[in-house]
């Protein structure tokens, strides 16, 4: 018998003993005949066929249904830079979610480097083994360059879930919240706190969805071009958002009269600032485990409240998006994941709420069995419309 592990008796640690996943064969290996078909000599014929026509990889291997979950461990959950070894339980968890909610096989790949060039080169060299790349928990601003360059280099879907998964689910919930409060996107004033991976992606998808008046804040206030401390990413963000309306100042200034607050920053927003928002306000405080505005406080000043936590209503959970997005991309043999595919995913998620729409139900449950198939179908259709599908 093996010795008990150091945290024996703790149900979280007990569940993790030996990891959360394993590889299983899909074919029998009961005797010589099975072995000769699955391995030598039979497998050689399949290899020769693929060598002559590499597209047959899509039919005779697991590649088109398998995603690499890649992290360098620099921005793990709310834990920050804990390194690749400590990131592995999260990446295993992500792989399990892919399988459970999208029927997608996933392999955790934790890289012992934080160098942008090394990460890009490593992932590019691994890419022939996978049908898609899910980048995970890589800190900003490096994550933007890594994703952009891998998308240029590879002809398979590359998706940074911390950016786009969060953005898709937030948009789905916001669409329903706008409907519930009688608002139109074009005249709704939105404030996002947090100009990292999630904040930038949410801003971009909201603009695609028709939001016009949008301000993004960081620790120094509204991100606008009058500031002299902006990174290239923030400078581009400023031009798309606050520069359009001339908004400047602090987060408190931006919240004065705002219709919507979306928090992806951590920290705490004072209640007196929240109280200055418009009537029937919408507050999505998504930092985990501590929302920027506690739901009890938010409910005193807002009509619709959402968090990233599972113990409050309206959880903005990426698992509503990424399994179905990859399932749909794989079903269409998509070369990439487009803005149209992300918008389609958000629309599909929002649409599942239907007539049940209420203040405490603007987003479906992650365990709603309709979510994965609905997102996959919408994404596959959008891939064909956007011209990135290969079937």
């Amino acid at each position: 018998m093996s010795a008990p592990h150091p945290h024996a008796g703790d149900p979280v640690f007990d569940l993790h003993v030996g990891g959360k996943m394993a590889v299983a064969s899909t074919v029998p290996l009961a005797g010589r005949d099975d072995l000769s078909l699955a391995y030598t000599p039979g497998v050689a014929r399949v290899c020769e066929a693929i060598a002559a026509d590499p597209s047959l990889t899509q039919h005779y291997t697991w590649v088109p249904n398998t995603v690499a979950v890649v992290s360098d461990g620099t921005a793990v959950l709310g834990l920050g830079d804990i390194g690749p070894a400590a990131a592995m339980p999260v990446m295993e968890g992500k792989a399990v979610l892919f399988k459970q909610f999208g029927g997608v096989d996933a392999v955790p790949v934790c890289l012992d480097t934080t160098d942008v060039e090394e990460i890009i080169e490593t992932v590019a060299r691994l890419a022939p083994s996978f049908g898609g790349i899910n980048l995970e928990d890589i800190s900003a601003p490096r994550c933007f360059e890594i994703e952009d360059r891998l998308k240029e280099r590879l002809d398979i879907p590359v998706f940074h879930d911390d950016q786009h998964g969060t953005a898709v689910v937030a948009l789905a919930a916001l669409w329903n919240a706008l409907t519930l409060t009688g608002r139109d996107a074009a005249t709704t004033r939105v404030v996002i706190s947090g100009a990292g991976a999630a904040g930038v992606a949410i801003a971009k998808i909201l603009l695609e969805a028709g939001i016009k008046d949008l301000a993004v804040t960081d620790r120094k206030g509204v991100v606008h071009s009058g500031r002299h401390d902006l990174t290239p990413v923030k400078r581009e963000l400023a031009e798309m958002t606050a520069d359009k309306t001339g908004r400047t100042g602090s987060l408190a200034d931006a919240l004065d009269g705002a219709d919507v607050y979306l928090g992806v920053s951590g920290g705490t927003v004072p209640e007196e600032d929240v109280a200055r928002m418009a009537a029937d306000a919408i507050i999505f405080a998504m930092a985990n485990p501590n929302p920027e505005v506690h739901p009890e406080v938010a409910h005193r000043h807002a009509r619709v409240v959402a968090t990233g936590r599972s113990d409050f209503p309206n959880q903005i959970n990426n698992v509503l998006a990424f399994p179905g997005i990859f399932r749909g991309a794989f079903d269409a043999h998509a070369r990439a994941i487009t803005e149209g595919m992300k918008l389609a995913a958000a629309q599909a998620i929002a649409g599942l709420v239907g007539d049940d729409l209420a203040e405490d139900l603007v987003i479906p449950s992650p365990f709603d069995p309709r979510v994965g198939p609905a997102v996959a179908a919408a994404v596959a259709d959008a891939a064909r419309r956007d011209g990135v599908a290969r079937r």
Side-chain angles (χ1 to χ4, degrees), residues 242-383:
D243 288 3
K244 300 288 187 182
T245 56
R247 298 202 182 279
T248 59
S250 65
L251 173 60
D253 295 329
L255 284 176
D256 191 5
D259 300 298
V260 179
Y261 167 76
L262 304 176
V264 282
S265 63
T268 301
V269 180
E271 182 169 359
E272 58 265 29
D273 296 342
V274 176
R276 297 164 65 188
M277 294 180 67
D280 283 345
I282 297 165
I283 294 177
F284 293 178
M286 295 177 277
N288 249 326
N290 300 311
E292 294 90 346
V293 185
H294 192 278
E296 288 183 9
V297 174
H299 278 295
R300 290 200 284 267
H301 306 284
R303 183 171 172 191
V304 181
V305 176
T307 71
R309 288 174 43 157
S310 59
D311 54 345
F312 292 106
N314 295 327
Q315 184 189 19
I316 307 299
N317 191 328
N318 289 19
V319 77
L320 289 163
F322 68 82
I325 288 173
F326 271 94
R327 174 77 275 145
F330 285 171
D331 289 346
H333 283 198
R335 295 187 300 274
I337 293 172
T338 65
E339 292 302 314
M341 292 161 74
K342 288 180 270 188
L343 287 171
Q347 290 167 342
I349 294 167
L352 291 176
V353 174
D355 294 337
D356 295 327
L357 180 62
E359 282 81 357
D360 61 353
L361 184 58
V362 296
I363 197 79
S365 163
F367 295 100
D368 185 330
R370 301 173 299 164
V371 173
V375 172
V379 167
D381 286 345

Side-chain angles (χ1 to χ4, degrees), residues 4-388:
H5 60 88
H7 299 278
D10 183 318
V12 172
F13 284 87
D14 288 347
L15 179 143
H16 282 79
V17 172
K20 298 191 289 283
M21 57 186 295
V23 174
S25 174
T26 63
V27 298
L29 286 175
R32 178 185 297 178
D33 290 345
D34 291 339
L35 190 59
S36 69
L37 291 172
Y39 201 56
T40 187
V43 72
R45 293 174 54 199
V46 181
C47 293
E48 288 173 336
I50 293 173
D53 180 3
S55 70
L56 293 180
T57 302
Q58 301 294 309
H59 194 65
Y60 292 116
T61 75
W62 82 331
V63 166
N65 194 57
T66 306
V67 60
V69 181
V70 179
S71 181
D72 64 359
T74 55
V76 181
L77 297 178
L79 304 174
D81 185 355
I82 60 174
M88 181 55 82
V90 176
M91 302 312 128
E92 283 187 14
K94 198 81 174 192
V96 171
L97 296 176
F98 265 113
K99 188 67 172 180
Q100 179 69 28
F101 295 106
V104 172
D105 293 309
V107 178
V109 179
C110 291
L111 303 179
D112 189 15
T113 178
T114 60
D115 182 83
V116 168
E117 300 300 331
E118 289 183 354
I119 291 172
I120 292 169
E121 194 63 32
T122 301
V123 174
R125 290 183 184 278
L126 288 170
S129 298
F130 300 99
I133 306 295
N134 183 93
L135 300 172
E136 191 75 23
D137 293 348
I138 299 173
S139 62
R142 297 174 311 118
C143 59
F144 303 114
E145 181 180 359
I146 290 168
E147 184 192 37
D148 288 345
R149 287 176 56 189
L150 283 172
K151 285 166 68 174
E152 291 174 1
R153 185 164 172 174
L154 303 178
D155 65 348
I156 58 175
V158 177
F159 185 82
H160 185 207
D161 188 51
D162 303 310
Q163 292 185 59
H164 310 300
T166 304
V168 165
V169 181
L171 174 59
L174 182 58
W175 265 330
N176 280 334
L178 294 179
T179 298
L180 192 64
T181 58
R183 289 182 167 95
D184 179 76
T187 56
T188 296
R189 188 152 84 77
V190 179
V191 177
I192 299 171
S193 69
V200 171
I202 292 172
K204 289 181 177 179
I205 203 169
L206 292 188
L207 295 171
E208 290 278 347
I211 295 292
K212 306 292 186 186
D213 191 339
L214 174 59
V216 182
T217 68
D218 61 11
R219 291 181 181 87
K220 296 183 178 179
V222 174
V223 176
H224 63 89
S225 291
R227 288 172 45 179
H228 302 293
D229 60 344
L230 300 183
T231 64
V233 170
K234 288 185 180 181
R235 190 171 298 110
E236 178 189 11
L237 183 64
E239 292 169 356
M240 294 187 296
T241 58
D243 288 3
K244 300 288 187 182
T245 56
R247 298 202 182 279
T248 59
S250 65
L251 173 60
D253 295 329
L255 284 176
D256 191 5
D259 300 298
V260 179
Y261 167 76
L262 304 176
V264 282
S265 63
T268 301
V269 180
E271 182 169 359
E272 58 265 29
D273 296 342
V274 176
R276 297 164 65 188
M277 294 180 67
D280 283 345
I282 297 165
I283 294 177
F284 293 178
M286 295 177 277
N288 249 326
N290 300 311
E292 294 90 346
V293 185
H294 192 278
E296 288 183 9
V297 174
H299 278 295
R300 290 200 284 267
H301 306 284
R303 183 171 172 191
V304 181
V305 176
T307 71
R309 288 174 43 157
S310 59
D311 54 345
F312 292 106
N314 295 327
Q315 184 189 19
I316 307 299
N317 191 328
N318 289 19
V319 77
L320 289 163
F322 68 82
I325 288 173
F326 271 94
R327 174 77 275 145
F330 285 171
D331 289 346
H333 283 198
R335 295 187 300 274
I337 293 172
T338 65
E339 292 302 314
M341 292 161 74
K342 288 180 270 188
L343 287 171
Q347 290 167 342
I349 294 167
L352 291 176
V353 174
D355 294 337
D356 295 327
L357 180 62
E359 282 81 357
D360 61 353
L361 184 58
V362 296
I363 197 79
S365 163
F367 295 100
D368 185 330
R370 301 173 299 164
V371 173
V375 172
V379 167
D381 286 345
R384 296 182 183 105
R385 288 196 303 271
D386 289 351
V388 296

